[in-house]
């Protein structure tokens, strides 16, 4: 506390003297190398030494996980269990996009950098909220169709005067940190394929690391490293063997040929097999290793992928490679022969834990498959694994072999199976946090089952969603009690997990199952937003809510915190979206889409954000609507094509509420949207490649039926 106050006074006096703030780290070991104050702070002044010392740079939040260890723990404690009650809004900014906001804002020497949906970048004065510049990569909105889980972006990386953002369409773009002007831009994917990028780039030793998504549609996953100055590709590591059987001329060639290819039974699907690296990338400077997670198999159903029992490396695996060359070092496969969409892309966090009396360098992951893994990060050796939520696909993990003790019935080969966790995961992309003073990992967790059934008629559809599942199982029951029972099965919670004991110390339940990422501080607090639109500070010792703020909109992003002039700030992006609000809106708070906001808090903050204007659409007149379509056939076609974005039984309200859309009352208008793509500039492309005019009319008949039932239920 004392150090913070001292630094605060020093910074305040510097500002009074008109010298602006120091460009260097201000407390801890780095203070000794403090850079002399400059007349004008250099924008984006981040180098290797500064990133390596980020842990003791209390004032700033330099990279997405705050430090390379990705613990998302700040030593700041002006906002603490005693003062948090006085936390108020310091400033806010409303954006021009109204879907999921997933970015963690960075703060560097008084400038806050963040991103929104559609990969837009914004730089603000972190103290006042004044917009300094913004950048719109102008992503073709039709690309939105290729984003399984919303058109989100999880933030930027900053390095030596540049800000790096990866756009949804696969471009990696370097911007001038001072002006937002493009320095270089390079395409990192084959844009003719259904690749997207939603993750934040990471900078390691002058290289920009970035992966991509698309496993739900059918692509081949990889992680790339680009030279931060020139934008030239340095290395690329593929997570699945080349489907054509040839070498890629990449550092992954040898291990794919020798280790991975034999685990693909009937071969790698032509579309690539999946394994996309769409979120976590973590760097260990001591071991010079980069760790990343590979996503689910493509198609989801393993029977459509590899012809029987085989592991399909490196799907659903954590992989360690040399940071300079991308050369393979080790891997750990969490879900062999994945058939449930169990990506291993969740937050990978590094720590040193005392296990059996000895310090161990570990990495930790609360995997989508419901198990919490503690792994020796030098060797990839599994130290321990325990389920943090109920798991029905496997009862435990065999520590000797590292393999799950699996329940074969859960593989839905012969009969449908209700399996926990759901494809949403026991934990998804939402960042965790680790409080090293208490030895606790805070997990934004979910308990949710999912009905898996194979699609016996499955055939790969080029460029479309390809799960291999009978998605008609997602149709909702009309019975109210059944709906209530289904809702009750979906639970969200914040778990404080002891990774040494592999047990929860406390669990705080949420009202809904899809909530926000987490940040912890030395003030004894854990910050987390929720589906209901609350931003909450919990006591990290007990899980008790100490402070709550109604942001008026659901929150999914993780917060960050920084200090300027002795004042601590907490920044959070609000804006609900992502996989669950698209595909399962029926289970979540009934709220229309609203513009995202950046909300920044401080002790005594007195700003207020205007209430959102609530728009209630008039009731659709369905009295004269007639259709020759077959609603039963429409149910099947809807769930095979539309439900992942418009929710089961057209119950979605985000993209948009089809049960109340005037489009369903006019056959020509409906066909123009569904087949001809008249709304492609809003992300709704035409489906004529996959649907016939009869399919379209059947779908319309089905939605009209659902709309009539919904109206009757309300009347
Ligand atoms: Ca996935």
């Amino acid at each position: 506390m004392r150090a913070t106050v001292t630094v605060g006074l020093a910074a305040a006096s510097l500002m009074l003297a008109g010298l602006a703030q120091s460009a260097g780290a201000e407390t801890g070991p780095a203070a000794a190398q403090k850079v002399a104050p400059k007349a004008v702070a250099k924008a984006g002044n981040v180098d290797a030494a500064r990133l390596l010392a980020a842990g003791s740079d209390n004032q700033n939040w330099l990279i997405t996980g705050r430090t390379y260890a990705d613990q998302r723990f700040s030593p700041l404690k002006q906002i603490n269990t005693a003062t948090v009650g006085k936390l108020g809004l310091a400033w806010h900014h409303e954006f021009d996009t109204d879907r999921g906001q997933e970015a963690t804002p960075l703060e560097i020497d008084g400038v806050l950098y963040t991103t929104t949906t559609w990969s837009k970048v914004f730089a603000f004065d972190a103290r006042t909220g004044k917009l300094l510049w913004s950048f719109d990569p102008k992503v073709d909105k039709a690309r939105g169709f290729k984003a399984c889980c919303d058109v989100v972006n999880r933030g930027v990386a900053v390095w030596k005067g540049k800000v790096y953002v990866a756009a949804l369409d696969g471009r990696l773009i370097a911007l001038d940190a001072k002006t937002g002007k493009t320095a270089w831009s390079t395409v990192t994917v084959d844009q003719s394929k259904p690749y997207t990028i939603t993750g934040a780039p990471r900078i390691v030793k002058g290289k920009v690391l970035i992966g991509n998504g698309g496993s739900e549609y059918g692509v081949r996953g990889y992680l790339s490293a680009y030279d931060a100055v020139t934008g030239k590709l340095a290395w690329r590591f593929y997570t699945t063997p080349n489907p054509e059987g040839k070498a890629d001329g990449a550092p992954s060639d040898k291990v794919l040929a020798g280790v991975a290819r034999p685990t693909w039974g009937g071969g790698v699907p032509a579309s690539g097999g999946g394994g996309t690296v769409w979120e976590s990338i973590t760097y260990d400077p001591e071991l010079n290793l980069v760790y990343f997670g590979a996503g689910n198999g493509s198609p989801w159903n393993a029977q459509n992928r590899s012809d029987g029992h085989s592991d399909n490396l490196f799907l659903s695996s954590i992989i360690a490679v040399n940071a300079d060359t991308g050369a393979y070092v080790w891997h750990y496969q969490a879900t062999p022969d994945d058939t449930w969409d169990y990506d291993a892309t969740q937050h990978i966090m590094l720590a040193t834990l005392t296990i059996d009396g000895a310090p161990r360098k570990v990495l930790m992951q609360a995997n989508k498959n419901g198990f919490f893994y503690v792994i020796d990060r030098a060797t990839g050796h599994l130290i321990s694994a325990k389920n943090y939520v109920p798991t029905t696909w496997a009862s435990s993990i065999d520590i000797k072999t590292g393999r799950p003790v699996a329940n074969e019935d859960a593989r839905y080969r012969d009969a449908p199976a209700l399996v926990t966790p759901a494809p949403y995961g026991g934990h998804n992309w939402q960042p965790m946090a680790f409080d090293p003073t208490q030895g606790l990992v805070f997990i934004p967790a979910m308990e949710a089952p999912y009905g898996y059934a194979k699609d016996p008629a499955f055939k790969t559809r080029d460029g479309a969603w390809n799960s291999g599942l009978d998605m008609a199982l997602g149709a909702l029951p009309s019975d109210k009690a059944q709906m209530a029972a289904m809702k009750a099965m979906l639970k969200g919670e914040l778990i404080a997990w002891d990774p040494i004991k592999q047990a929860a110390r406390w669990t705080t339940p949420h009202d809904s199952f899809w909530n926000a990422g987490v940040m912890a501080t030395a003030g004894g607090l854990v910050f987390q937003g929720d589906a209901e639109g609350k931003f909450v500070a919990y006591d990290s010792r007990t899980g008790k809510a100490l402070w709550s703020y109604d942001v008026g909109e659901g929150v999914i992003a993780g917060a960050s915190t920084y200090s300027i002039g002795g004042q601590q700030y907490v920044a959070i992006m609000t804006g609900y979206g992502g996989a669950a609000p698209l595909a399962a809106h029926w289970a979540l708070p009934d709220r229309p889409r609203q513009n995202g906001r950046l909300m920044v808090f401080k002790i005594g903050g007195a700003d207020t954000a205007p209430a959102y204007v609530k728009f209630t659409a008039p009731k659709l007149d369905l009295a004269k609507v007639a259709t020759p379509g077959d609603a039963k056939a429409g149910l099947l076609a809807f769930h095979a094509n539309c439900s992942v974005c418009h929710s089961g039984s057209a119950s979605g309200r985000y993209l948009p509420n089809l049960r109340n859309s005037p489009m369903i009352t006019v056959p020509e208008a409906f066909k123009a949207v569904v087949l001809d793509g008249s709304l492609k500039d809003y992300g709704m492309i035409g489906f004529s490649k996959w649907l016939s005019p009869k399919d379209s009319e059947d779908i319309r008949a089905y939605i009209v039926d659902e709309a009539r039932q919904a109206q009757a239920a309300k009347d």
Side-chain angles (χ1 to χ4, degrees):
M1 199 62 190
R2 188 164 180 184
T4 311
V5 172
T6 312
V7 170
L9 286 173
S13 59
L14 280 177
M15 276 190 277
L16 280 174
L19 289 170
Q21 63 267 55
S22 154
E26 300 195 340
T27 58
Q33 314 148 18
K34 195 164 161 179
V35 181
K38 292 172 186 170
V40 181
K42 213 167 112 191
N45 185 25
V46 177
D47 59 12
R50 224 176 147 191
L51 282 184
L52 292 171
S56 52
D57 182 354
N58 296 4
Q59 313 298 297
N60 296 292
W61 190 287
L62 300 176
I63 52 178
T64 190
R66 208 187 93 81
T67 66
Y68 273 137
D70 223 336
Q71 294 182 354
R72 291 178 178 259
F73 174 82
S74 169
L76 291 175
K77 50 186 176 184
Q78 184 183 69
I79 302 165
N80 56 46
T81 51
T83 61
V84 72
K86 299 192 190 81
L87 200 57
L89 192 63
W91 59 267
H92 71 279
H93 180 91
E94 184 163 320
F95 298 106
D96 59 352
T97 54
D98 60 3
R99 292 174 63 175
Q101 310 290 357
E102 298 189 353
T104 302
L106 306 191
E107 189 279 342
I108 296 157
D109 306 329
V111 180
L112 188 150
Y113 304 93
T114 194
T115 62
T116 66
T117 44
W118 298 113
S119 332
K120 298 181 186 184
V121 187
F122 295 80
F124 297 93
D125 180 314
R127 192 176 58 82
T128 65
K130 184 183 165 216
L131 181 65
L132 302 177
W133 56 260
S134 65
F135 169 77
D136 180 357
K138 298 196 165 55
V139 171
D140 178 357
K141 300 292 188 289
R143 178 69 52 167
F145 163 72
K146 298 182 178 178
C148 72
C149 307
D150 209 346
V151 292
V152 295
N153 188 280
R154 286 185 289 279
V156 296
V158 176
W159 173 259
K160 295 190 174 174
K162 291 196 183 73
V163 175
Y164 299 85
V165 66
L168 192 74
D169 56 17
R171 281 176 290 161
L172 178 64
I173 303 165
L175 305 171
D176 184 306
K178 194 161 187 205
T179 62
K181 296 241 169 12
T182 304
W184 56 257
S185 173
T186 189
V187 178
T188 71
V189 300
D190 177 345
Q191 288 178 311
S192 72
K193 294 187 172 155
Y195 281 106
T196 50
I197 306 184
T198 56
R202 271 73 158 185
I203 308 280
V204 173
K205 298 170 90 173
K207 295 188 181 73
V208 195
L209 303 185
I210 192 69
N212 46 60
S215 294
E216 272 55 52
Y217 299 73
V219 294
R220 184 181 178 209
Y222 55 85
L223 175 72
S224 309
Y226 289 86
D227 184 290
V229 176
T230 64
K232 197 168 159 265
L233 181 69
W235 53 258
R236 177 168 289 174
F237 190 99
Y238 290 90
T239 61
T240 66
N242 187 309
E244 291 166 34
K246 57 188 187 190
D248 301 300
S252 43
D253 279 349
K254 199 173 151 202
V255 72
L256 288 176
V259 177
R261 190 170 291 282
T263 69
W264 279 83
V268 182
S271 60
T276 46
V277 184
W278 57 267
E279 173 44 28
S280 197
I281 307 164
T282 311
Y283 168 57
D284 180 345
E286 286 176 51
L287 298 170
N288 198 37
L289 295 179
V290 167
Y291 313 95
F292 56 96
N296 56 280
S298 177
W300 286 3
N301 186 348
Q303 296 165 84
N304 297 129
R305 198 174 63 232
S306 65
D307 202 14
H309 306 250
S310 42
D311 289 353
N312 291 179
L313 289 168
F314 294 105
L315 299 182
S316 304
S317 302
I318 295 171
I319 301 159
V321 299
N322 178 288
D324 298 313
T325 63
Y328 168 88
V329 177
W330 61 255
H331 76 275
Y332 174 78
Q333 187 173 45
T335 312
D337 204 17
D338 167 49
T339 196
W340 307 280
D341 186 25
Y342 288 164
D343 306 77
T345 52
Q346 302 73 51
H347 193 163
I348 294 170
M349 176 188 279
L350 314 184
T352 301
L353 299 180
T354 303
I355 295 170
D356 297 332
R360 300 283 296 269
K361 286 185 205 296
V362 306
L363 69 74
M364 301 185 280
Q365 185 184 63
N367 193 282
K368 228 174 154 188
N369 71 14
F371 287 91
F372 190 94
Y373 294 90
V374 178
I375 293 171
D376 182 317
R377 67 178 189 264
T379 63
H381 179 80
L382 179 67
I383 296 171
S384 65
K386 180 84 170 96
N387 61 313
Y388 60 95
V389 290
T391 55
T392 61
W393 72 278
S395 56
S396 61
I397 307 297
D398 182 328
I399 295 300
K400 275 205 189 97
T401 63
R403 295 181 71 87
V405 179
N407 165 18
E408 287 299 311
D409 291 344
R411 302 194 77 91
Y412 59 94
R413 284 194 190 95
D414 309 312
L418 191 68
V419 180
T420 303
Y424 306 113
H427 163 231
N428 206 297
W429 64 270
Q430 285 90 336
M432 312 188 293
F434 176 66
D435 181 342
T437 67
Q438 299 190 68
L440 287 178
V441 179
F442 304 101
I443 312 170
M446 291 174 279
E447 292 184 24
Y450 189 83
Y452 292 84
K454 69 177 174 189
D455 174 0
F458 175 73
K459 260 176 129 172
T460 299
R461 298 181 308 158
D462 186 30
W465 185 277
N466 282 298
S467 66
L469 260 58
D470 178 0
M471 301 298 279
L473 231 59
L476 301 174
S478 47
D479 182 73
K480 273 188 183 171
Q482 267 181 300
M483 275 302 291
M486 275 175 58
K487 263 191 192 185
M489 286 162 81
L490 301 168
K491 295 174 194 159
E493 53 204 19
L494 176 60
I495 303 176
W497 190 258
D498 180 333
I500 297 173
K501 288 185 183 156
Q502 287 280 23
R505 193 171 298 170
W506 54 257
T507 300
T508 297
H510 289 302
D511 293 334
S512 300
F513 82 107
W514 184 258
N515 300 291
V518 169
M519 174 188 73
T521 73
L525 298 170
V526 182
F527 287 88
Q528 189 191 20
D530 65 24
E532 276 63 38
K534 297 192 300 290
F535 184 49
V536 182
Y538 298 92
D539 186 324
S540 59
R541 275 165 189 77
T542 63
K544 190 179 163 226
L546 298 178
W547 171 86
S548 173
Y549 189 95
D550 181 1
V551 300
E553 168 62 8
V555 190
I556 47 176
S560 59
T561 185
Y562 54 91
S563 180
I564 300 171
Q567 181 90 52
Q568 184 185 354
Y569 297 83
V570 172
I572 183 78
M573 297 287 289
T574 68
Y576 205 54
L582 295 187
H585 194 278
W586 55 269
L588 294 162
D590 189 6
R591 193 189 306 108
R593 276 160 60 182
Q594 301 179 139
N595 278 345
R597 288 173 175 170
L598 168 61
M599 304 190 86
V600 177
F601 298 87
K602 66 175 182 181
I603 298 292
D607 182 28
T608 50
Y612 285 102
V613 178
K614 302 273 184 238
F615 171 76
T616 311
K619 186 175 154 186
L620 210 56
D621 183 1
L622 295 166
K624 290 187 188 128
V625 176
T627 158
D630 174 352
K632 275 205 181 113
L635 180 150
L636 298 176
F638 178 89
H639 289 91
N641 293 279
C642 321
S643 65
V644 291
C645 284
H646 293 285
S647 288
S649 302
S651 63
R653 297 183 64 89
Y654 274 48
L655 281 183
N657 181 354
L658 298 181
R659 292 178 181 181
N660 206 37
S661 167
M663 295 291 176
I664 67 171
T665 65
V666 186
E668 295 76 19
F670 190 79
K671 182 182 154 293
V673 174
V674 173
L675 297 183
D676 308 335
S678 65
L679 292 181
K680 69 177 174 8
D681 291 343
Y682 295 86
M684 173 62 197
I685 64 161
F687 276 60
S688 56
K689 196 170 154 190
W690 307 290
L691 294 174
S692 68
K694 180 187 179 306
D695 294 332
S696 168
E697 190 57 20
D698 290 347
I699 290 172
R700 191 172 79 89
Y702 171 64
I703 300 173
V704 168
D705 264 15
E706 288 293 336
R708 287 205 166 105
Q709 282 179 41
Q711 287 190 359
K714 275 199 182 131
D715 288 342

